[in-house]
Amino acid sequence: MLEVGDGHSLYWEVSGNPDGKPAVALHGGPGSGSSPRLRSLFDPNRYRVVLFDQRNSGRSTPSATDPVVDLSANTTQHLIADIEALRVHVGIERWLVQGGSWGVTLALAYAQAYPERVTEMVLAAVTDGDRRDTDWITRDMGRVFPREWERFRDGVPSAERDGDLSAAYSRLLHDPDPEVRAKAARGWCEWEDTHMSLAPDAAPSLSVADPAFQLAFARLVTHYWSHGCFLEEGQLLRDIERLHGIPAVLIHGRYDVSGPLGTAWALHRAWPGSELVVLDDTGHGGGSMTSAIIAATDRFARDQGE
């Protein structure tokens, strides 16, 4: 556990080769927490891999599963500072940064703040945190999944259905009544599972998760989305020049309807040295995405050894 201030303590771990190529893996969500699966994205003989649970998620404390939790000290800027504090704590000079989904947004924000600390980047299911994209997920995709979206929209009071649905759900997720919180968490997670992929073999994950996990996940996603991910609109694309010279592989699924390919394409076009890998068998995850990430981390390990 690493104390990072504001009453927060982060769970972290290191695995692989102590003398290997340093890397940090940033989990998605926000709020998913890290998992042993992230270790499998790196060759343990070649990499020294750092995982951690972002504020209020996973094994970090305080937990967003608590009946009452204050998320005011949980912003993108706090998480960037946490990543840098962890790098210093474990004694790493520079590292490869890997992220998936929300972890891509966080990875880009961190790398733009500390480009001198980043050797390479491997980013899968590319997102940039813009309100344009969260509006797409919470409102515009009602044209793709009208029945499911109406159920999602109707999960908030009628007076709030034409406004910011993330903010409306966030209020419900902090309601004093545990039944109200649980219903909102379940409704949010059901909608997330709906829009993750158009791939025919896509399987639900969040809607069948433990209710405590659903609550923590939904609270953190809605907290970030209702605040524009604590970024200026267009910030990460605007500041992409800070990453020029950093090799990167961007990996995105053709069937990812919740995160249209255009975001990855725009970043790739503005980022010399980046490579865009489009997968024709997956959406926001699954399919060949894991093997594509491993291929990228293996290549960067080989490049270092040559």
Side-chain angles (χ1 to χ4, degrees), residues 22-58:
V24 62
L26 306 181
H27 67 71
S32 295
S34 61
S35 73
R37 186 193 68 83
L38 294 178
R39 301 181 203 137
S40 70
L41 303 177
F42 303 88
D43 182 340
N45 294 312
R46 292 177 166 177
Y47 276 96
R48 180 187 182 200
V49 183
V50 180
L51 306 183
F52 75 101
D53 292 335
Q54 294 160 27
R55 292 191 180 206
N56 300 117
S57 69

Side-chain angles (χ1 to χ4, degrees), residues 251 277-282 285-294:
I251 302 165
V277 177
V278 180
L279 306 176
D280 290 326
D281 67 342
T282 188
S288 60
M289 187 164 287
T290 295
S291 60
I293 297 170
I294 292 171

Side-chain angles (χ1 to χ4, degrees), residues 72-130:
S72 61
N74 190 336
T75 69
T76 302
Q77 292 69 40
H78 284 102
L79 299 187
I80 292 170
D82 291 347
I83 298 169
E84 188 62 3
L86 181 56
R87 182 194 64 78
V88 172
H89 183 71
V90 298
I92 290 174
E93 186 67 22
R94 302 174 72 221
W95 50 11
L96 179 149
V97 179
Q98 187 276 326
S101 190
W102 155 254
V104 173
T105 296
L106 180 57
L108 291 168
Y110 168 75
Q112 289 181 4
Y114 296 98
E116 72 280 3
R117 300 302 180 189
V118 179
T119 54
E120 304 93 5
M121 304 186 77
V122 178
L123 308 175
V126 177
T127 65
D128 64 5
D130 279 358

Side-chain angles (χ1 to χ4, degrees), residues 204-290:
S205 60
L206 295 171
S207 61
V208 297
D210 178 79
F213 175 85
Q214 289 182 347
L215 177 63
F217 176 86
R219 275 178 163 177
L220 288 164
V221 173
T222 56
H223 171 65
Y224 271 80
W225 286 10
S226 62
H227 288 90
C229 291
F230 302 96
L231 297 166
E232 297 175 21
E233 189 71 5
Q235 175 181 330
L236 298 181
L237 181 59
R238 180 197 69 201
D239 295 343
I240 200 67
E241 287 187 4
R242 297 181 183 180
L243 306 186
H244 288 189
I246 297 177
V249 178
L250 312 178
I251 302 165
H252 206 83
R254 180 79 69 185
Y255 289 106
D256 190 346
V257 67
S258 66
L261 181 57
T263 297
W265 176 252
L267 286 168
H268 167 59
R269 294 274 289 177
W271 189 351
S274 70
E275 174 188 346
L276 177 61
V277 177
V278 180
L279 306 176
D280 290 326
D281 67 342
T282 188
H284 206 65
S288 60
M289 187 164 287
T290 295

